[in-house]
Amino acid sequence: MKRSLLITMSLIALSMSLYGVRSVAAQSLPVAGGYTRTSPGSAEVVSAARFAARELNLKKGDLFFVDSVKSAEVQVVAGLNYRMVITMWAGGKLQDFKVVVYKNLEQEYSLTSWEAVSEPKGDPVGLPSIYSNSPIEQLMKALDEAYSLSRLARLDARRPYLGRVRIVIEHSLAADGAKDQYETRTFRTLAQADRWLKRRENSDGLPARQTRPLYECSGGSCEFDLNGGILHNQLYLTKVSYVIRRGRPYIKTIYLLDGD
């Protein structure tokens, strides 16, 4: 009798525990057809925000890049809609934009809508930036945007390298240890590197340049977060090695990954 009672009570406890897990999971998942708040600092949101900045650059002909994401919501459709309020540098001024970015089932982004929701302003107070104010992270911020916009030459005025800069491209489809796994070139300027990368593109502009959120900078290396996989015909910025001289960071090598 006691054994039967113990078994019954155990089954009830297990059932309640599983119900609780299902309830928590149901609350945390986006609801199909409706928008659900999500973390503004998540890798998915930051990637969508940066895509919006690149698209605005093409549409407006100015240099846009993300400073921070103020709020974010996600909607499950045949893919995902990200509705965000983003603080961007636009024409040298900080400004807030409300954007909707759609990611389809093939993980491809498109900018659905955008509007400026504030006047250009100074540096926001208390708003967490995607990048810190450290010199190396500020350099990565500039490199991130210049690379994705095919404007590496703009950085040459700052001379963010000592002597020469090296580009290393890893080919994802090559076997480990194969001769064609890595492609390495050294350049006197980033403008030269940019021209070489453009010559590698086909008539459709592929592979397209892609960046991901910065993971961390330490020990002479900055790494970018590649969680979520990679896509065909995309060239990803994955890592940058650097050296510090008199408190100033300088780029040594830029590492790229070709989705092939």
Side-chain angles (χ1 to χ4, degrees):
M1 180 69 178
K2 288 183 177 180
R3 184 179 178 185
S4 298
L5 180 60
L6 287 173
I7 293 174
T8 302
M9 292 178 66
S10 297
L11 290 173
I12 292 173
L14 179 61
S15 176
M16 292 178 66
S17 175
L18 291 174
Y19 174 77
V21 171
R22 287 196 298 269
S23 297
V24 171
Q27 292 173 10
S28 61
L29 290 174
V31 179
Y35 276 98
T36 304
R37 285 194 300 177
T38 188
S39 171
S42 71
E44 294 80 7
V45 167
V46 172
S47 292
R50 287 177 172 164
F51 174 83
R54 290 193 288 272
E55 286 297 290
L56 283 174
N57 173 76
L58 296 175
K59 293 177 183 295
K60 302 277 289 180
D62 207 340
L63 186 60
F64 287 78
F65 62 86
V66 177
D67 181 80
S68 55
V69 181
K70 299 182 74 171
S71 65
E73 299 171 294
V74 61
Q75 179 190 40
V76 178
V77 287
L80 294 172
N81 278 325
Y82 292 98
R83 185 165 66 186
M84 302 165 286
V85 176
I86 308 170
T87 300
M88 298 191 205
W89 288 96
K93 299 287 186 178
L94 281 171
Q95 192 169 5
D96 292 341
F97 291 83
K98 184 176 182 179
V99 304
V100 176
V101 173
Y102 170 63
K103 183 168 74 170
N104 65 21
L105 298 177
E106 285 72 41
Q107 310 299 304
E108 298 169 334
Y109 291 103
S110 58
L111 181 61
T112 304
S113 65
W114 65 275
E115 63 173 320
V117 293
S118 76
E119 295 296 323
K121 55 188 177 183
D123 199 5
V125 178
L127 189 63
S129 177
I130 290 174
Y131 292 88
S132 75
N133 289 324
S134 71
I136 183 57
E137 290 207 11
Q138 288 299 305
L139 177 56
M140 290 304 102
K141 180 179 184 179
L143 177 63
D144 179 328
E145 298 305 322
Y147 171 75
S148 63
L149 296 170
S150 300
R151 294 183 177 181
L152 286 174
R154 287 190 172 189
L155 301 182
D156 280 334
R158 298 171 56 180
R159 296 293 296 180
Y161 42 86
L162 296 173
R164 293 173 179 264
V165 61
R166 186 171 63 155
I167 306 287
V168 176
I169 298 178
E170 179 181 0
H171 295 279
S172 62
L173 296 183
D176 290 342
K179 291 183 178 180
D180 60 347
Q181 183 178 4
Y182 294 99
E183 188 176 355
T184 303
R185 294 288 188 277
T186 303
F187 303 95
R188 291 193 301 272
T189 66
L190 285 170
Q192 287 183 343
D194 217 5
R195 289 193 293 271
W196 176 69
L197 289 171
K198 287 179 181 178
R199 286 197 298 269
R200 296 181 73 260
E201 298 173 0
N202 62 24
S203 58
D204 295 323
L206 299 175
R209 303 187 196 184
Q210 294 288 348
T211 61
R212 294 285 178 84
L214 181 67
Y215 178 65
E216 68 174 352
C217 290
S218 65
S221 177
C222 289
E223 297 188 12
F224 295 82
D225 189 356
L226 284 183
N227 285 336
I230 62 173
L231 298 175
H232 178 60
N233 276 330
Q234 308 293 311
L235 190 61
Y236 295 91
L237 175 63
T238 62
K239 185 172 71 172
V240 177
S241 66
Y242 65 91
V243 64
I244 303 293
R245 293 286 186 271
R246 297 181 180 178
R248 180 181 173 186
Y250 294 91
I251 297 168
K252 293 173 60 180
T253 305
I254 298 172
Y255 295 87
L256 308 174
L257 176 62
D258 194 337
D260 295 315

